[in-house]
Amino acid sequence: MGKRKHVPLTSYLYLVPSLLIFAVFLFYPFFKTLYLSLFMTNKMGKAKLFVGLQNYTDLLRSASFLNSLKVTLIFVVIVVFGSMVLGLTAAVLCNRAFPGIRAFSTAYALPMAIASSSAAMIFKIMLHPAVGIVNKLLGLDINWLNDPATALYCVAILTAWLNSGINFLYFSAGLGNIDETIYERASVDGASGVQQFFSLTLPGLSPIMFYTLVVNIIQAFQSFGQIKLLTEGGPSESTNVIVYSIYRDAFFNYRFGNASAQSVILFVIIMLITLVMFRLEKKGVSY
């Protein structure tokens, strides 16, 4: 065995700027949130009364918070499934050379370059009950964003479309790494296009699909801008996802301890889902 290479102590000094940035913008806010979640605070966010786990127990008994959990899970499922299906479908369609391929590729990747606030405002006009193009085309008279039965689905569909652009790029890169000769051999053996997709394309994309799934779940849990602009958590809290609930409790109700506890619970949920997915990666992902 060769000798272990000695790393000069001065080399670690190059990590100091990065560590300082992480400390200021990541570690300090994280531990500050943990700290505040154990206190009652004043309107300035200063910890005043230590209450231990009371903020957490109050949340778990709160019908509003339990509704936020339910709404968030439904929202995440719709957004992740919709954005991945849209991105994969677009990538498969653009994986063949045909006239206008660049225009189609640009159009499919465009949602990645559009700010959620701009998209939300355009979407709000499209769904307007009186002048919106959606009601005009379908011949309906539905107040999409003010109806508890449709508001969550409208916001989730917009978010799925916004996330589909980056998914399209991920899947396009994955398709480009699949050896074309395996499709030629499959065609010679009589495999149909559908059989090739499920037997060759999806297994070949499994590593990038796993990565995309993890990223999309985390992004979906953190969606905020479009909900703020379109529904503000309403109507009747039908779109009150956890992130918006945190924002409302902290900056409108000035209950920073309660909002901090919600943030910690959201962190734990995302962490557990991510850990479970990495456990399942070994069974469903082939490299």
Side-chain angles (χ1 to χ4, degrees):
M1 294 180 63
K3 291 184 178 180
R4 188 174 180 180
K5 188 176 180 180
H6 176 69
V7 180
L9 184 61
T10 54
S11 300
Y12 292 100
L13 295 177
Y14 291 102
L15 295 175
V16 172
S18 299
L19 291 175
L20 288 175
I21 293 174
F22 278 119
V24 173
F25 295 104
L26 183 63
F27 300 139
Y28 173 74
F30 176 74
F31 289 110
K32 182 71 171 181
T33 300
L34 284 175
Y35 173 77
L36 288 178
S37 70
L38 303 175
F39 287 83
M40 298 289 286
T41 64
N42 61 13
K43 290 187 176 182
M44 299 301 294
K46 300 289 185 180
K48 290 299 181 181
L49 177 64
F50 179 77
V51 294
L53 299 178
Q54 182 181 331
N55 285 325
Y56 295 95
T57 57
D58 289 346
L59 283 174
L60 296 177
R61 294 171 184 165
S62 168
S64 177
F65 179 71
L66 295 177
N67 175 71
S68 292
L69 284 176
K70 176 184 174 182
V71 168
T72 302
L73 292 176
I74 295 173
F75 177 81
V76 168
V77 169
I78 296 174
V79 170
V80 172
F81 179 79
S83 62
M84 291 192 67
V85 169
L86 286 173
L88 179 59
T89 302
V92 171
L93 291 176
C94 291
N95 195 40
R96 296 289 183 270
F98 57 87
I101 181 63
R102 292 185 179 275
F104 279 101
S105 298
T106 302
Y108 290 138
L110 191 60
M112 181 182 62
I114 299 177
S116 61
S117 56
S118 302
M121 296 306 296
I122 296 172
F123 206 62
K124 192 171 187 176
I125 296 172
M126 293 173 60
L127 294 175
H128 192 279
V131 299
I133 190 173
V134 175
N135 276 348
K136 295 291 185 182
L137 291 176
L138 299 178
L140 299 174
D141 186 21
I142 299 176
N143 198 342
W144 298 93
L145 296 175
N146 287 320
D147 187 343
T150 58
L152 179 62
Y153 299 102
C154 292
V155 177
I157 290 171
L158 170 63
T159 308
W161 177 74
L162 285 171
N163 293 349
S164 67
I166 189 65
N167 292 344
F168 166 73
L169 295 182
Y170 288 148
F171 290 131
S172 294
L175 289 171
N177 291 327
I178 299 177
D179 189 359
E180 290 290 335
T181 59
I182 63 174
Y183 292 105
E184 297 174 2
R185 292 196 295 267
S187 298
V188 172
D189 292 337
S192 65
V194 174
Q195 290 174 325
Q196 292 180 32
F197 177 77
F198 285 101
S199 300
L200 301 176
T201 304
L202 287 184
L205 285 175
S206 59
I208 197 70
M209 287 188 72
F210 172 77
Y211 170 79
T212 306
L213 181 61
V214 173
V215 171
N216 275 259
I217 288 176
I218 295 173
Q219 286 182 338
F221 269 107
Q222 297 176 340
S223 299
F224 171 79
Q226 54 271 41
I227 296 172
K228 166 64 178 171
L229 291 171
L230 290 177
T231 62
E232 295 187 349
S236 302
E237 296 196 346
S238 60
T239 61
N240 188 34
V241 297
I242 295 180
V243 169
Y244 190 80
S245 178
I246 294 170
Y247 166 78
R248 185 183 63 181
D249 279 349
F251 300 106
F252 282 89
N253 299 328
Y254 302 107
R255 297 189 300 172
F256 292 94
N258 186 279
S260 297
Q262 292 184 63
S263 300
V264 173
I265 292 175
L266 178 60
F267 167 77
V268 171
I269 291 173
I270 296 176
M271 182 183 67
L272 290 176
I273 291 175
T274 304
L275 290 175
V276 169
M277 292 182 61
F278 273 98
R279 282 296 186 98
L280 296 176
E281 176 201 11
K282 299 177 182 178
K283 298 180 180 179
V285 179
S286 55
Y287 292 94

